[in-house]
Amino acid sequence: MRRYYEFAVVVVLVGLLALLLMQALERARGDMEETIVQAEAAAMRMGLIEVVAHRETYGGELPKSSNPVDWVATPPANYVGERDGQPDETSIWYFDRRAGELIFVFRDGRRARFRLSRDASVDTQRAVVAGVGLLRLEDHRE
């Protein structure tokens, strides 16, 4: 009978450790998703700098679109295009036409929002050339 109690205690301990591991993995996944969003935004900022630098060097017009994906050569991974509302999928990028924002939807429902700025201040924003930059707005939760 004592062996059954020992076995039950071991099973409970293994279950608790598995639960703690699952929670830690979930947090790590969320951190990894945020890192991917930051990397994609940095790549888009560099693409915007390239477009503006080309225009400054060779002349011409900047794109008229407020969608930063239209400005860069390579869209972010999992970009599903322009939408009028939030899609049901998660871990995707889309451009909300009504809000004029590029949005990444996290698995937990949080939304990272970005807006193309044509009058960004060099002192306050990263990667700004000739006033053009990609601003991160406050995240929203759905």
Side-chain angles (χ1 to χ4, degrees), residues 28-44 76-78 91 93 104 106-107 112 114 136:
R29 184 177 72 177
D31 292 345
M32 189 169 53
E33 221 175 9
E34 178 65 36
T35 301
I36 290 168
V37 167
Q38 293 292 340
E40 290 284 4
M44 280 189 283
N78 298 335
S91 292
W93 289 91
F104 180 82
F106 289 91
R107 288 181 188 268
F114 297 86
R136 181 156 184 181

Side-chain angles (χ1 to χ4, degrees), residues 76-139:
N78 298 335
Y79 179 68
V80 296
E82 295 186 4
R83 305 288 171 92
D84 288 323
Q86 181 175 344
D88 294 331
E89 303 98 336
T90 60
S91 292
I92 59 163
W93 289 91
Y94 72 97
F95 184 76
D96 187 332
R97 283 186 281 234
R98 284 186 274 173
E101 297 172 352
L102 180 64
I103 299 173
F104 180 82
V105 183
F106 289 91
R107 288 181 188 268
D108 65 2
R110 187 170 46 106
R111 297 183 305 146
R113 302 166 38 234
F114 297 86
R115 178 171 284 141
L116 180 69
S117 175
R118 293 174 186 258
D119 59 357
S121 165
V122 174
D123 296 335
T124 59
Q125 302 303 325
R126 290 178 265 167
V128 173
V129 174
V132 175
L134 185 65
L135 308 176
R136 181 156 184 181
L137 308 172
E138 187 175 326
D139 290 358

